[in-house]
Amino acid sequence: MHSSKALPIAPTESNLTVWTDQAGVPYLVKKQADGSTTFTPLETALAQPQAPVATERVTTYRDPLATLLISLGALLGVILLGYGIGFLAGAAGQRVVVVPSTPACDTHRSSFLFWSSENKECH
């Protein structure tokens, strides 16, 4: 019975196939580049040492120093962009003037018998 997690093997074009003779002995059939075919008993082919496969390790983490430098560069870029926009707005004749205004205050007084209170709210 097949496992539900196993994926079927897709047929691919390969120079290697497995063939069995009438007695049921499996052979590894290898097609050479010159067109010739070699038959090797499967037990012998599996017993031969295989060439090591070079694998490349892929990591998803970043070096902490690189992350810090990228973050500082992004922050510096945002700050310089703000100064650049302000400079261009000033060069185009746009002026920003901040006029201080006196706060508008409301005073609330309440009293009850001998007790009085006063609250001041400023906007």
Side-chain angles (χ1 to χ4, degrees), residues 14-29:
S14 175
N15 292 337
L16 297 174
T17 55
V18 176
W19 176 80
T20 58
D21 63 3
Q22 293 177 350
V25 178
Y27 289 93
L28 181 65
V29 180

Side-chain angles (χ1 to χ4, degrees), residues 20-42:
T20 58
D21 63 3
Q22 293 177 350
V25 178
Y27 289 93
L28 181 65
V29 180
K30 184 186 266 187
K31 294 180 184 176
Q32 304 294 333
D34 61 357
S36 65
T37 305
T38 58
F39 292 87
T40 309
L42 192 57

Side-chain angles (χ1 to χ4, degrees), residues 48-63:
Q48 294 174 353
Q50 300 295 321
V53 177
T55 58
E56 181 179 343
R57 185 175 176 194
V58 178
T59 57
T60 56
Y61 68 89
R62 289 197 182 270
D63 183 22

Side-chain angles (χ1 to χ4, degrees), residues 41-113:
L42 192 57
E43 291 178 12
T44 308
L46 292 176
Q48 294 174 353
Q50 300 295 321
V53 177
T55 58
E56 181 179 343
R57 185 175 176 194
V58 178
T59 57
T60 56
Y61 68 89
R62 289 197 182 270
D63 183 22
L65 180 61
T67 305
L68 177 68
L69 291 176
I70 290 171
S71 301
L72 287 176
L75 180 64
L76 183 64
V78 168
I79 291 171
L80 289 177
L81 181 67
Y83 277 118
I85 290 173
F87 176 77
L88 292 175
Q94 302 293 324
R95 299 286 183 244
V96 176
V97 179
V98 178
V99 178
S101 62
T102 57
C105 296
D106 294 327
T107 304
H108 301 285
R109 293 183 183 136
S110 64
S111 61
F112 182 72
L113 294 177

